[in-house]
Amino acid sequence: MTQESILRVRDLHVEFETNDGMVHAVRGIDLDVKPGETVAIVGESGSGKSQTTMALMGLLASNGRARGSATYRGQELIGLSERKLNRIRGEKITMIFQEPMTSLDPLYRIGRQIAEPLVHHRGMSRKAARERVIELLELVGIPDPARRVDAYPHELSGGQRQRVMIAMALANDPDMLIADEPTTALDVTIQAQILALLAELQRKLGMAIVFITHDLGIVRRFADRVYVMRYGEVVEEGETSVLFDRPKHPYTMELLAAEPTGRKAPPPLEAPILLEGRNVEVVFGGGGGWFSGPEAEIRAVDRISVALHKGQTIGVVGESGSGKSTLGRALLRLLPSDGTVRFEGADISAADKRAMRPMRKELQLVFQDPFGSLSPRMTIGQVVTEGLKVHEPQLPARERDRRAIEVLEEVGLDPAMRNRYPHEFSGGQRQRIAIARAMILKPKVVVLDEPTSALDRSVQKQIVDLLRDLQKAHDLSYLFISHDLAVVRAMADHIVVMKQGRIVEEGPTDAIFDHPREAYTQALMAAAIDGTPFRQQAGAFE
Amino acid sequence: MFAYVLRRFAGAVPTLFIIVTIAFFMIRLAPGGPFDLERPLDPLIMKNLERAYNFDKPLWQQYLIYLGNLAQGDLGPSFTRRDFSVVDLFRTGLPVSIQLGGIALSIALVVGVFLGALAALRQNTWVDYMVVGTATFGITIPTFVIAPVFSLFFGVMMGWLPAGGWGTWQHMVLPIATLALPQIAIIARLTRGATIEALRSNHVRTARAYGLPSYVVVGVHALRAAILPVVSYLGPTAAALLTGSVVVETIFGIPGIGRYFVQGALGRDYTLVMGTVVVIACFVIVFNLVVDVLYAWLDPRVRYD
Amino acid sequence: MSNTTLEQAAAPQEPLVAGRSLGQDAWLRLRRNRAAVASAIVLLLLALAGIVGPWIHAHPYDRIYPQYVRAPASLEAYPKEDAIVPAFESALGRARVDIGEIELSGSTVRAPVSDDEALDPRIVRYIDRSDLFSNARLEDGDGNEMTEGSTSAFMVADVQRLRFVFGTDANGRDLLSRILIGIRISLAIGVLASMMALLLGVTYGAIAGYLGGRVDNLMMRVVDVLYSLPFIFFVILLVVFFGRNFVLIFIAIGCTEWLDMARIVRGQTLTIKRQEYVQAAEALGVSDAGIVRRHIIPNALGPVVVFVTLLVPKAILLESLLSFLGLGVQEPLTSLGLLIAEGAANMRGAAWLLIYPAVTLTAILFALNFLGDGLRDALDPKDR
């Protein structure tokens, strides 16, 4: 590894002028990329990892300024004129983005968009470019490329759009490809395919890849070297294997340890069934409006049966659109559904809103998005005590306040903050508030709908720990809905794998993780759990 | 697409029908009539007139007769301008209004889009501030203020242009300026906002990341997205401009159709009022359709259905 | 948005940390917006002028001064010095008496008059009838009241000094007082019509949005159909046919402007209904009424407030347009639109009749628009 670096970044600063003053997003980082190597930049949201690459591509927002030096094969990029920069971007250095849904222009056919760098950098004719585009689409595994070349972006799935982006990135045989969280917005199985594709293409074409991600699992399997960023600084760098085995900086250690660990023991066999659904079915659409004609029916949950025992955590796993959230809401009778739902032996399938109200105290729900689940116009105190007002209306205000203090302390928040409003809290804190809102009622069953998915890894771990502590302290039963298998493994003692509204496979957590029987479960596991490097899948080194 | 246009026209018929019905009965239920003059007419003449115009029949019969005539393209005789049929009045007035409105609209579109895009590309520079400031003026000041002020300043005080009247091209300058100015302002503001949004969008970032020259980034990727809200705005606006403006035609003394409605309503000229309603509704329907077709052509995500 | 999370501030236990609500945040942002603050002040002053002005201003808005038709705007008092003597002469001329030399001293005019017969004391009316003079009297040489039956005396009158800061209109009414009453009428109609639209729109939109499903579908179809009607024409028809009175005008305007409001409120309601905090409230067992009261209304309020501030200028504009077309309020009451129309008709030779009302209306519209923009920026800090 004594080759000359193709990219040398020295003392790079990025600043943004905002209404709240200057924000120093990147604070003097050094970075090297050698030909053909894969470098990962890892960090949590706000660490400045994306802004670093935006700065050297000249893509900073208009209020952003870059200082310092970044040279590509000796050519200084910072402060380079747009015209000169345009000879490098799209030709020598290309980029793919996090948002496959919006990164392509919705108004033009994909063929034309992929051809644009060819036409403008290589002076190719549109006709010649089209041939090359079809070749590229074939290369990135788009089926029927000769026809798809004339498709519009909205006619493709998210994974396919990311493939199109990759095709565009490869069009001019670049020296270096910057991939900014290219799989974050995709389902796990699609993620795996895209990563495998990138690994394979790199092997074939030999470009360097700069991989920006928050996902350590990807880094471990994908990168040669790693830079760990926090608060705009590189806190540690090194060879992937070295860094993972012997992290030096405490933050790196924290990140590595942030993967939730531990296993949950199943409840005793004699534990009673608390919440049970039998042949639960939820159908959306159908019927249609008076004017709109019949709509297609969507069977979001298709005759599913689950039984949640006291003290148990059932992990419901599946990709987006698999119906797992719908199942959770149907079991809480928040959605109209067919089939029977029993709570503590009583059939509540036919209970209306009024009849359900006393039971709501026992059956609680925590949402994924801690930003959307708290009313922005209520103080934390009001949010947390709203349920008390419904279920214990006779409670005097002083007592309500005492209960709020108690529960806020229990979820690890300073009760002195209860006059504040949600927008004044961070994501992790808000999720604690949402948990407090459920816990104040002392429920028996809590449905946790992706409670950690919107959070950074290190915060995720804290929330997982909190949920486990609460479960132990109050003998709670959880229905834990998540697409994140690492978290599910740490939380649940029983797993239900869902796909398109049906249960594909279910069983004790270890059995599912260690010996998945169904192909879909295997694909999910392979995509998410360490040990199956993409390079192997792609037939690459190791 | 042809089927789509046909379907849309078929869908417009009930709307038109509702409009005609409401307008017809509203006018008729109002007090007063076209022959209520200061000096009452001789009862015999009155009777003859009423018979001639079917006023002696029950209202629902008159309504059916009107619908029947309408279906044949006959809007009836004007009551206040006895020598003309309503169709005649539109035949002479409509070209004038369309000419003024069409020129004003074209100018507004070209100038507005240009200024808006310019301001967006030079965001937070003096160019931007100038455009935004002028646009705010143009949007805020109503036509019935601009029109007399223009007429006063350029016509009466400076004497550069005729303060009113119709005939030569000089007569058209002030009315067109009055009509175009607020539209320039609105279109510039729309374009500016949409362009800024488009420039911030991910797909424009992609275009820049791929080193495409800025005329491609802006001209091909940003502006096409930015023009979409302008196109939507254009439908009702075009209909309104081409059917004349009461204010502008009154102040500059222009023989267009903009004044017909108010004059007709005041004079209880039932057929003229109905005619205006029908003509304007048709314009609105046609231009909404044109805009929808145009929009679908510009944005492949929109389908004809 | 402030990014102050509490991680840094989690220091010692303080009794209670006061939070800043979104409303307070918005208020602070609004106060920092200089254009919005200036607009609010201008509006306040104009409103004050419209409300109090007509009471304290010297000229009633419907008082006609026949001698001062189209008097140009001027800070100096009328009559002008050189106009007094001729006016006195012409007024006195009608008395058909012999007039001596007219002298003007300070604010009194004095002229010897004589006749073949005894002077009729009633001739003072000729002078009093003029807007320029008051307190006309016949005196003898010493300043005492003329003795009855004299054939010569002095006609003495006080010059009545009047100020027409904005001039007078074609009927000889003070333009300033007309503008003041116009402000009052325009603002009143703007506010009342907006309230009307608010009431209709919020009720309709909230019902449609909250009930959803078929009811929503049907209610919104009705709005769509109403939208496609050329509604301004129906306002005109309404006003033409049912008389031009104040109440009808604002009802008519309110009835046309509520459609947008209904759409906005419905959209807001639908969005908020889908928010997780509403689902969370449902999961807590909060009743429908509680959800509407505690969650939907407070969160829908922001856009509604913004829309209302933009609705007021629209309503004023519509009223002015109606007045301009001669369909608004009736003389001698007036509104800014009517004044502009009169100004336009008289602009040759009396430009001030157009300029002052136009400037006033423009100022109101500008202030309202800036305030509305400021409110929108303050309440919806997405663009920051």
Side-chain angles (χ1 to χ4, degrees):
Chain A
M1 282 290 197
T2 48
Q3 272 172 300
E4 192 64 21
S5 298
I6 50 172
L7 182 73
R8 276 172 74 92
V9 176
R10 290 294 174 269
D11 194 32
L12 181 71
H13 292 259
V14 178
E15 288 158 339
F16 291 93
E17 213 170 311
T18 71
N19 286 333
D20 298 324
M22 202 66 120
V23 173
H24 211 142
V26 178
R27 300 160 178 263
I29 65 163
D30 296 349
L31 205 85
D32 286 273
V33 180
K34 297 191 173 70
E37 113 181 296
T38 303
V39 171
I41 305 178
V42 188
E44 299 187 328
S45 51
S47 61
K49 56 190 192 300
S50 286
Q51 295 310 334
T52 304
T53 49
M54 291 296 170
L56 50 99
M57 292 292 274
L59 294 177
L60 288 177
S62 59
N63 61 339
R65 296 277 167 282
R67 282 190 285 121
S69 158
T71 52
Y72 166 74
R73 293 193 188 274
Q75 166 77 62
E76 179 62 54
L77 296 176
I78 305 297
L80 193 63
S81 75
E82 188 93 3
R83 214 163 47 83
K84 285 186 177 158
L85 200 57
N86 278 349
R87 288 196 205 127
I88 296 173
R89 6 181 236 200
E91 162 80 26
K92 304 291 183 199
I93 308 178
T94 57
M95 197 161 180
I96 57 178
F97 300 96
Q98 180 174 350
E99 308 88 355
M101 293 308 190
T102 54
S103 292
L104 292 165
D105 193 332
L107 306 182
Y108 294 94
R109 298 174 198 279
I110 58 166
R112 174 174 172 159
Q113 295 189 56
I114 301 173
E116 271 180 333
L118 292 168
V119 172
H120 289 288
H121 291 295
R122 300 253 160 121
M124 255 190 214
S125 71
R126 292 244 168 237
K127 199 159 173 264
R130 189 183 163 89
E131 295 295 310
R132 170 83 174 130
V133 167
I134 295 175
E135 238 176 81
L136 284 163
L137 288 176
E138 178 113 51
L139 184 71
V140 297
I142 297 274
D144 199 0
R147 199 167 55 81
R148 287 302 176 85
V149 69
D150 289 324
Y152 285 103
H154 69 274
E155 294 165 348
L156 303 177
S157 69
Q160 283 176 327
R161 288 190 221 186
Q162 202 59 296
R163 284 172 193 267
V164 169
M165 277 304 295
I166 294 171
M168 193 164 156
L170 299 176
N172 285 329
D173 291 317
D175 230 5
M176 190 171 112
L177 171 67
I178 299 173
D180 186 356
E181 304 254 17
T183 59
T184 309
L186 303 172
D187 273 331
V188 272
T189 47
I190 312 290
Q191 271 184 24
Q193 291 165 12
I194 295 290
L195 289 169
L197 173 70
L198 277 175
E200 184 197 326
L201 289 171
Q202 187 186 29
R203 187 175 51 86
K204 271 193 203 157
L205 307 171
M207 73 280 188
I209 294 184
V210 176
F211 205 100
I212 298 166
T213 183
H214 67 281
D215 188 336
L216 286 169
I218 293 177
V219 174
R220 180 177 288 175
R221 281 167 285 160
F222 202 61
D224 300 316
R225 275 187 318 113
V226 185
Y227 290 85
V228 180
M229 281 189 74
R230 185 176 67 160
Y231 302 147
E233 284 165 1
V234 170
V235 297
E236 186 167 359
E237 62 147 305
E239 301 276 318
T240 307
S241 53
V242 177
L243 190 120
F244 271 76
D245 290 344
R246 293 184 295 280
K248 285 197 279 299
H249 194 278
Y251 179 68
T252 315
M253 293 178 210
E254 192 188 321
L255 265 189
L256 288 175
E259 194 96 323
T261 49
R263 298 286 180 269
K264 183 181 176 304
L269 280 175
E270 69 277 11
I273 293 178
L274 268 185
L275 184 65
E276 185 183 17
R278 232 179 247 156
N279 291 323
V280 177
E281 192 171 49
V282 181
V283 180
F284 289 126
W290 284 335
F291 302 95
S292 46
E295 285 170 34
E297 281 189 356
I298 299 163
R299 211 163 286 262
V301 172
D302 193 0
R303 278 162 293 143
I304 283 188
S305 300
V306 282
L308 181 65
H309 294 257
K310 191 166 178 61
Q312 189 181 32
T313 301
I314 295 181
V316 182
V317 178
E319 295 182 311
S320 54
S322 61
K324 52 191 194 304
S325 290
T326 311
L327 173 66
R329 281 172 175 66
L331 289 175
L332 293 186
R333 305 279 312 123
L334 288 169
L335 281 176
S337 61
D338 291 329
T340 41
V341 180
R342 288 170 185 280
F343 175 62
E344 296 188 310
D347 188 344
I348 56 170
S349 331
D352 62 3
K353 263 186 180 173
R354 190 177 295 273
M356 277 308 293
R357 196 159 296 149
M359 266 171 282
R360 293 261 169 254
K361 188 173 174 330
E362 321 283 352
L363 299 167
Q364 273 306 306
L365 179 61
V366 174
F367 294 90
Q368 167 176 1
D369 178 12
F371 292 83
S373 67
L374 306 176
S375 174
R377 303 200 179 264
M378 288 165 79
T379 65
I380 299 318
Q382 288 169 336
V383 168
V384 170
T385 55
E386 188 173 11
L388 283 182
K389 285 191 186 148
V390 175
H391 295 288
E392 298 176 47
Q394 74 291 347
L395 218 59
R398 174 179 291 276
E399 176 62 14
R400 251 204 324 264
D401 200 38
R402 196 191 60 72
R403 291 270 293 273
I405 293 175
E406 196 180 281
V407 77
L408 285 173
E409 270 170 355
E410 187 168 14
V411 299
L413 287 172
D414 180 357
M417 303 296 173
R418 68 190 180 282
N419 269 6
R420 294 217 166 190
Y421 289 84
H423 65 273
E424 299 173 275
F425 291 83
S426 70
Q429 287 172 321
R430 288 189 223 200
Q431 200 58 288
R432 286 174 194 268
I433 295 163
I435 292 169
R437 168 174 61 192
M439 291 304 163
I440 200 168
L441 295 174
K442 308 204 182 307
K444 291 180 177 151
V445 173
V446 182
V447 172
L448 301 159
D449 189 357
E450 305 255 11
T452 60
S453 302
L455 305 173
D456 276 333
R457 261 290 182 218
S458 54
V459 184
Q460 271 184 14
K461 187 182 157 86
Q462 295 163 13
I463 297 293
V464 165
D465 288 342
L466 172 67
L467 288 171
R468 284 200 292 216
D469 291 346
L470 289 169
Q471 183 170 40
K472 256 181 233 147
H474 302 287
D475 203 14
L476 293 168
S477 308
Y478 287 151
L479 190 74
F480 190 89
I481 298 163
S482 182
H483 71 277
D484 186 334
L485 292 166
V487 177
V488 172
R489 190 176 204 178
M491 284 287 301
D493 52 71
H494 187 90
I495 302 267
V496 172
V497 182
M498 281 184 71
K499 187 188 181 189
Q500 289 165 2
R502 290 168 187 256
I503 292 182
V504 177
E505 186 170 0
E506 69 172 312
T509 302
D510 287 338
I512 295 281
F513 273 80
D514 296 341
H515 311 288
R517 278 171 286 123
E518 296 296 319
Y520 179 70
T521 319
Q522 286 163 4
L524 270 185
M525 299 296 156
I529 304 304
D530 293 6
T532 338
F534 300 107
R535 296 173 185 204
Q536 259 175 22
Q537 291 180 353
F541 20 141
E542 285 208 10
Chain B
M1 202 196 87
F2 183 65
Y4 169 76
V5 173
L6 271 188
R7 223 167 340 122
R8 281 288 299 268
F9 271 120
V13 171
T15 315
L16 198 59
F17 175 75
I18 293 172
I19 293 172
V20 167
T21 307
I22 296 179
F24 185 88
F25 287 102
M26 248 179 99
I27 297 168
R28 289 311 179 85
L29 293 176
F35 311 121
D36 294 350
L37 305 178
E38 308 227 333
R39 206 157 44 84
L41 285 172
D42 183 85
L44 201 67
I45 299 176
M46 193 76 169
K47 225 176 190 112
N48 282 335
L49 272 174
E50 288 188 340
R51 186 162 323 126
Y53 291 113
N54 288 323
F55 287 171
D56 52 343
K57 299 208 171 81
L59 195 55
W60 63 269
Q61 269 187 21
Q62 295 181 38
Y63 171 65
L64 290 182
I65 292 171
Y66 185 80
L67 281 187
N69 288 340
L70 182 61
Q72 296 162 24
D74 179 8
L75 295 170
S78 166
F79 293 121
T80 45
R81 301 172 198 204
R82 302 276 170 80
D83 300 334
F84 298 95
S85 76
V86 173
V87 174
D88 287 337
L89 288 175
F90 280 103
R91 204 169 283 148
T92 53
L94 201 53
V96 174
S97 293
I98 288 182
Q99 200 180 350
L100 277 185
I103 298 177
L105 186 69
S106 317
I107 292 176
L109 195 60
V110 173
V111 178
V113 168
F114 174 77
L115 287 181
L118 190 72
L121 292 173
R122 304 264 179 282
Q123 210 193 339
N124 295 328
T125 63
W126 65 270
V127 179
D128 186 23
Y129 297 141
M130 285 279 289
V131 171
V132 172
T134 318
T136 312
F137 251 95
I139 289 170
T140 312
I141 303 180
T143 319
F144 59 83
V145 173
I146 297 180
V149 169
F150 271 11
S151 175
L152 174 67
F153 187 76
F154 295 106
V156 178
M157 289 162 77
M158 294 294 155
W160 292 339
L161 290 161
W166 186 246
T168 63
W169 67 267
Q170 283 99 331
H171 287 106
M172 295 171 73
V173 176
L174 288 179
I176 287 175
T178 310
L179 285 174
L181 207 66
Q183 302 307 330
I184 290 175
I186 295 173
I187 292 173
R189 208 148 97 157
L190 265 178
T191 309
R192 177 182 176 272
T195 309
I196 288 176
E197 204 182 306
L199 285 174
R200 283 190 201 147
S201 71
N202 286 335
H203 69 260
V204 167
R205 182 185 63 186
T206 305
R208 292 179 58 213
Y210 280 80
L212 303 183
S214 53
Y215 69 88
V216 174
V217 174
V218 173
V220 175
H221 292 288
L223 277 188
R224 181 155 168 190
I227 212 81
L228 291 176
V230 177
V231 169
S232 309
Y233 171 75
L234 235 43
T237 311
L241 277 181
L242 296 183
T243 51
S245 151
V246 198
V247 173
V248 169
E249 293 184 5
T250 308
I251 288 182
F252 293 106
I254 292 163
I257 64 163
R259 290 183 291 179
Y260 287 173
F261 187 83
V262 177
Q263 286 173 355
L266 286 171
R268 300 292 188 275
D269 193 339
Y270 298 151
T271 43
L272 185 57
V273 170
M274 289 300 298
T276 316
V277 169
V278 169
V279 166
I280 289 175
C282 288
F283 267 81
V284 170
I285 288 165
V286 167
F287 276 96
N288 279 339
L289 177 61
V290 168
V291 158
D292 284 352
V293 170
L294 200 63
Y295 199 101
W297 177 70
L298 281 170
D299 187 344
R301 288 167 296 184
V302 178
R303 289 282 125 230
Y304 303 112
D305 52 26
Chain C
M1 281 289 272
S2 69
N3 281 324
T4 41
T5 60
L6 304 182
E7 263 131 21
Q8 305 102 301
Q13 275 271 356
E14 277 171 67
L16 250 185
V17 185
R20 224 162 64 199
S21 74
L22 289 183
Q24 287 163 313
D25 263 357
W27 176 239
L28 284 177
R29 273 195 294 270
L30 188 65
R31 278 202 323 212
R32 249 182 281 153
N33 184 337
R34 255 179 268 152
V37 172
S39 298
I41 292 171
V42 166
L43 272 182
L44 223 61
L45 291 178
L46 281 171
L48 211 66
I51 295 164
V52 187
W55 287 329
I56 59 173
H57 188 55
H59 306 285
Y61 68 89
D62 51 357
R63 166 83 189 266
I64 295 173
Y65 300 97
Q67 260 77 21
Y68 294 118
V69 170
R70 297 196 200 182
S74 163
L75 287 175
E76 272 174 51
Y78 282 95
K80 307 279 189 218
E81 289 300 304
D82 52 353
I84 296 172
V85 173
F88 194 68
E89 192 171 2
S90 82
L92 204 50
R94 284 182 211 151
R96 295 171 195 282
V97 289
D98 295 327
I99 308 161
E101 195 177 337
I102 302 168
E103 46 188 282
L104 172 68
S105 60
S107 61
T108 48
V109 260
R110 193 176 146 93
V113 287
S114 61
D115 201 359
D116 302 338
E117 301 160 27
L119 282 168
D120 185 345
R122 285 174 299 182
I123 58 169
V124 296
R125 287 189 198 156
Y126 291 113
I127 308 296
D128 274 339
R129 207 175 283 161
S130 162
D131 297 318
L132 278 64
F133 309 108
S134 64
N135 196 21
R137 57 208 181 261
L138 286 163
E139 291 175 356
D140 59 19
D142 306 324
N144 300 318
E145 199 174 321
M146 179 192 79
T147 48
E148 205 153 325
S150 331
T151 54
S152 69
F154 290 92
M155 176 67 87
V156 183
D158 297 337
V159 178
Q160 198 178 0
R161 305 261 166 186
L162 295 171
R163 272 173 208 281
F164 300 107
V165 179
F166 283 5
T168 59
D169 70 6
N171 291 324
R173 289 172 295 195
D174 175 45
L175 186 61
L176 177 58
S177 63
R178 311 272 308 150
I179 287 180
L180 287 175
I181 201 79
I183 293 174
R184 181 194 278 184
I185 299 287
S186 291
L187 282 180
I189 288 186
V191 170
L192 287 173
S194 302
M195 289 305 125
M196 169 105 192
L198 181 76
L199 208 71
L200 262 173
V202 169
T203 319
Y204 196 92
I207 290 175
Y210 193 72
L211 294 180
R214 295 192 166 179
V215 180
D216 176 36
N217 208 328
L218 185 71
M219 286 175 84
M220 283 302 127
R221 276 302 152 115
V222 171
V223 170
D224 285 345
V225 169
L226 289 179
Y227 239 109
S228 65
L229 302 178
F231 227 104
I232 173 78
F233 290 108
F234 288 104
V235 177
I236 292 176
L237 279 185
L238 216 70
V239 174
V240 167
F241 296 141
F242 298 106
R244 301 185 260 160
N245 74 57
F246 182 83
V247 177
L248 189 80
I249 289 169
F250 86 72
I251 289 180
I253 295 173
C255 285
T256 54
E257 297 296 331
W258 71 277
L259 295 171
D260 283 312
M261 180 61 90
R263 282 189 167 176
I264 287 176
V265 172
R266 169 183 173 267
Q268 278 293 312
T269 313
L270 277 180
T271 318
I272 294 167
K273 220 174 71 176
R274 276 195 289 266
Q275 294 288 318
E276 287 192 338
Y277 55 80
V278 172
Q279 294 182 30
E282 272 173 38
L284 288 172
V286 180
S287 63
D288 281 356
I291 288 177
V292 170
R293 202 177 58 243
R294 269 207 296 279
H295 296 282
I296 293 188
I297 290 178
N299 284 297
L301 220 55
V304 170
V305 167
V306 170
F307 189 72
V308 168
T309 57
L310 298 176
L311 204 61
V312 175
K314 266 172 96 181
I316 290 179
L317 215 59
L318 206 53
E319 184 277 327
S320 299
L321 180 66
L322 285 177
S323 294
F324 182 86
L325 298 175
L327 305 171
V329 291
Q330 266 177 314
E331 291 280 352
L333 220 55
T334 192
S335 83
L336 293 173
L338 196 57
L339 287 172
I340 292 170
E342 285 171 1
N346 290 294
M347 65 190 178
R348 282 168 206 270
W352 67 91
L353 283 180
L354 173 61
I355 304 220
Y356 289 113
V359 167
T360 311
L361 180 66
T362 309
I364 292 180
L365 294 175
F366 260 104
L368 279 166
N369 278 328
F370 278 130
L371 189 64
D373 283 354
L375 264 175
R376 189 190 52 213
D377 292 347
L379 287 168
D380 180 24
K382 198 168 38 187
D383 219 27
R384 291 157 53 89

